[in-house]
Amino acid sequence: MKGYEYPVNSLRICVDEAGEEVLTGRICGVALKDPLSFTGLLDFIAKVDDAYNDIGQPQQHRVLRSFTEENRYTSYVGAPKKYHTAGEIDACLGAYATIEMVMTSRQGAEWQGLVKDLEKNILGKFATILECTDILREKNVIV
């Protein structure tokens, strides 16, 4: 979509391979400095959480703690820095499927938001991680 600006709480999910025993791809976003690669459904779920932790929006319901000196997680950021343009995000495509995920909140260690196709049509809304993955399965984004 020409002239579309991606919100900072939007991630592009680029699935390169999806099957009964394989799921690989990348997660990109305007406020995500580097793409995050995932291998498998559980890794995908963890990497989506990591992406939003790095961006700082939406804030997690629970406080994350680390027992190492390195503080990996960002607390809430009112105006996250944008590292990429809309054109750069538009160029990120998966070999198997590509969707947009917009996270509106993360309450009770769950996800709340919506999934869009590349034309920005809403494919479904979710209130839990399971509902999100069900939408992705229903739309053949994952198997």
Side-chain angles (χ1 to χ4, degrees), residues 18-85:
E20 290 295 325
E21 297 182 21
V22 65
L23 177 66
T24 63
R26 295 158 283 119
I27 301 169
C28 306
V30 292
L32 193 59
K33 189 172 186 175
D34 298 310
L36 298 175
S37 296
F38 59 86
T39 304
L41 184 60
L42 293 178
D43 192 37
F44 166 74
I45 292 168
K47 294 291 174 66
V48 168
D49 268 335
D50 285 347
Y52 284 111
N53 290 340
D54 288 346
I55 293 168
Q57 271 194 29
Q59 186 175 15
Q60 284 223 32
H61 180 69
R62 64 193 187 326
V63 175
L64 297 172
R65 298 182 198 163
S66 173
F67 295 101
T68 64
E69 290 181 25
E70 178 186 337
N71 183 6
R72 183 161 187 264
Y73 299 105
T74 305
S75 60
Y76 176 76
V77 177
K81 181 178 179 178
K82 292 184 178 183
Y83 296 97
H84 305 284
T85 65

Side-chain angles (χ1 to χ4, degrees), residues 9 11 25-27 31 34 44 49 85 98 100 106 110 114 124-125 128 135 142:
N9 63 333
L11 294 178
R26 295 158 283 119
I27 301 169
D34 298 310
F44 166 74
D49 268 335
T85 65
T98 307
E100 301 292 331
R106 295 190 294 165
E110 290 285 355
L114 49 101
K125 296 181 180 180
T128 66
I135 293 167
I142 61 174

Side-chain angles (χ1 to χ4, degrees), residues 9 11-13 15 23 27 38 41 44-49 52 99-106 109-116 122-143:
N9 63 333
L11 294 178
R12 178 162 280 200
I13 311 300
V15 179
L23 177 66
I27 301 169
F38 59 86
L41 184 60
F44 166 74
I45 292 168
K47 294 291 174 66
V48 168
D49 268 335
Y52 284 111
I99 57 105
E100 301 292 331
M101 178 185 293
V102 180
M103 193 81 66
T104 55
S105 65
R106 295 190 294 165
E110 290 285 355
W111 301 345
Q112 296 81 41
L114 49 101
V115 176
K116 296 180 180 183
I122 296 175
L123 300 176
K125 296 181 180 180
F126 55 88
T128 66
I129 296 170
L130 182 58
E131 287 177 10
C132 178
T133 58
D134 285 346
I135 293 167
L136 298 180
R137 279 194 181 92
E138 178 185 307
K139 302 302 178 184
N140 295 317
V141 175
I142 61 174
V143 177

